[in-house]
């Protein structure tokens, strides 16, 4: 039996100390514009009518310590790319830092994310380098 959906994802909301810095980083990584911004909340999405990533100010946020479980990662994003090494250099230039593991990084607020090789079913990403 297939359940009838009663909801649709609006945004994934991510706590961070500086919403605009996070929005600029993820806008550059994903190639989507910043579609909303105020002092405490920003959104990165394909358009003002599309779901996306949102960043809300959380003063005193303690960044995840992944892979050390002292402060859990709570969530992470997998970002598909055409070339993991080139994309890795690009995210480092944008302010990410390397974490232990293959193609694992932290965004400027410390949230872990992985650069995954584009699956064969997905169309080329282009511009991921």
């Amino acid at each position: 039996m297939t359940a009838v959906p009663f909801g649709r994802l609006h945004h994934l909301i991510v706590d961070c100390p500086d919403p605009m810095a996070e929005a600029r980083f993820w806008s550059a990584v994903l190639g989507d514009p910043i579609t909303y911004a105020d002092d405490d909340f920003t959104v990165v999405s394909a358009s003002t009518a599309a779901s996306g990533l949102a960043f809300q100010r959380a003063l005193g946020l303690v960044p995840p310590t992944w892979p050390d479980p002292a402060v859990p990662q709570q969530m992470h994003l997998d970002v598909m790319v055409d070339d993991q090494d080139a994309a890795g250099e690009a995210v480092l230039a944008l302010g990410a830092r390397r974490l232990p593991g293959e193609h694992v990084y932290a965004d400027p607020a410390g949230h872990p994310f992985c650069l995954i090789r584009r699956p064969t079913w997905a169309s080329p990403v282009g511009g991921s380098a």
Side-chain angles (χ1 to χ4, degrees):
M1 175 189 283
T2 304
V4 176
F6 60 89
R8 181 175 43 218
L9 179 67
H10 181 54
H11 297 306
L12 172 64
I13 312 296
V14 180
D15 287 353
C16 61
D18 184 345
M20 184 52 74
E22 285 292 286
R24 285 185 188 117
F25 176 84
W26 285 106
S27 175
V29 170
L30 300 174
D32 285 335
I34 297 170
T35 56
Y36 177 83
D38 67 27
D39 290 342
D40 295 315
F41 193 81
T42 58
V43 176
V44 173
S45 58
S47 74
T48 57
S51 299
L53 295 176
F55 306 96
Q56 68 183 2
R57 187 174 311 281
L59 299 175
L61 177 76
V62 177
T65 55
W66 189 92
D68 176 357
V71 180
Q73 66 177 329
Q74 300 150 17
M75 66 94 195
H76 80 270
L77 298 175
D78 282 349
V79 178
M80 72 170 72
V81 298
D82 295 322
D83 181 327
Q84 289 171 298
D85 292 330
E89 293 305 314
V91 298
L92 290 171
L94 291 169
R97 63 182 167 83
R98 288 187 204 279
L99 293 177
E102 289 191 41
H103 309 289
V104 182
Y105 301 85
D107 72 12
H111 301 107
F113 67 96
C114 300
L115 298 176
I116 63 165
R117 185 177 305 118
R118 178 179 50 83
T120 57
W121 53 262
S123 59
V125 177
S128 65

